Amino acid sequence: MPNYDYECQKCHHRYEVFQSMNDAKLTDCPVAGCDGQVKRLLGTGGGIIFKGAGFYQTDYRSSSYQAGAKAEGAASAPAPAAAPAPAKSSD
Ligand SMILES: [Zn+2]
């Protein structure tokens, strides 16, 4: 299930939504009292998330890449720490 980052163009509230690729994009800000429009960010598995973790991965590779190369797959997709929903344990 892909998750998407949305950001309100008005109050800049940012949140993550898990939805199918077939679901319509969200447009309304969920913040009470804000009637702004949200924009979907292309962050899943790419830009936004990697931008924050980039230096970490670079350092990780240089120091223990050989020993932990196999663990990189798990490390490259960090679970959002502030996710409101409980983590799934399937698969
Ligand atoms: Zn808003």
Side-chain angles (χ1 to χ4, degrees):
M1 188 79 120
N3 66 305
Y4 298 99
D5 286 316
Y6 283 87
E7 184 178 66
C8 176
Q9 302 298 287
K10 187 174 181 181
C11 72
H12 298 288
H13 171 67
R14 217 155 147 183
Y15 61 105
E16 259 183 340
V17 175
F18 288 83
Q19 59 178 173
S20 162
M21 291 178 68
N22 295 322
D23 285 351
K25 290 193 295 185
L26 303 182
T27 56
D28 297 326
C29 178
V31 175
C34 177
D35 60 353
Q37 292 217 319
V38 296
K39 181 181 178 184
R40 191 162 80 181
L41 307 173
L42 300 178
T44 305
I48 304 298
I49 293 177
F50 273 94
K51 197 177 280 183
F55 86 93
Y56 167 78
Q57 292 196 342
T58 301
D59 180 63
Y60 172 77
R61 290 191 183 202
S62 64
S63 58
S64 55
Y65 176 74
Q66 290 183 338
K70 202 156 191 175
E72 186 180 12
S76 66
K88 288 186 176 180
S89 59
S90 60
D91 295 337

